[in-house]
Amino acid sequence: GEALERAKRAIEADPSLPHRLADLAAVAHYGLWHFQRSFTARYGITPGRYVRLLRMRRACELLETTNFDMGRIYSELGYAHLANFGNCFKREIGVSPTAYRRWAAYAAELGAPTRS
């Protein structure tokens, strides 16, 4: 319980960090595979997917609420290359970051809520 919560809070504190599985397991004082299985069983998501989920949530916020260029966004989220960020974003969200930003701007013009 508490050991897994420590690892989850470490991810939540700064999702942009690398969060290697071995480092998270060490935070929880678990072996590598025991940590992965336990985290997934407890939270219903793998540690790596949880990191991506938090990064994508933050990416959407930045794309909706700032005019930061893509270079600033991907580096703030912990991605080393724009292509890595763009591919991950498209895989997770379904559209490119640029298309998402255009959609968010259009929705804001219409007065439609973009986030709940």
Side-chain angles (χ1 to χ4, degrees):
E2 179 57 34
L4 291 173
E5 277 297 314
R6 275 195 309 273
K8 186 172 177 270
R9 283 193 305 268
I11 295 168
E12 292 166 349
D14 190 351
S16 70
L17 294 175
H19 295 296
R20 290 176 196 87
L21 193 58
D23 297 335
L24 292 170
V27 166
H29 305 293
Y30 279 36
L32 189 68
W33 303 117
H34 179 62
F35 171 74
Q36 173 126 359
R37 282 191 307 273
S38 299
F39 189 99
T40 303
R42 172 141 187 183
Y43 301 112
I45 189 170
T46 66
R49 182 126 171 83
Y50 188 61
V51 170
R52 284 191 306 277
L53 172 74
L54 294 181
R55 286 179 176 186
M56 291 301 107
R57 193 176 287 163
R58 179 69 178 139
C60 289
E61 288 173 13
L62 292 172
L63 290 166
E64 290 175 28
T65 62
T66 73
N67 61 359
F68 295 168
D69 65 31
M70 291 302 162
R72 180 170 178 185
I73 291 174
Y74 82 75
S75 64
E76 281 196 22
L77 295 171
Y79 290 92
H81 303 285
L82 178 58
N84 292 351
F85 166 64
N87 290 338
C88 186
F89 191 93
K90 187 164 186 167
R91 188 173 46 252
E92 296 292 327
I93 306 300
V95 296
S96 72
T98 303
Y100 184 89
R101 176 173 265 166
R102 280 195 309 263
W103 168 82
Y106 182 68
E109 275 184 41
L110 296 175
T114 55
R115 296 182 71 74
S116 52

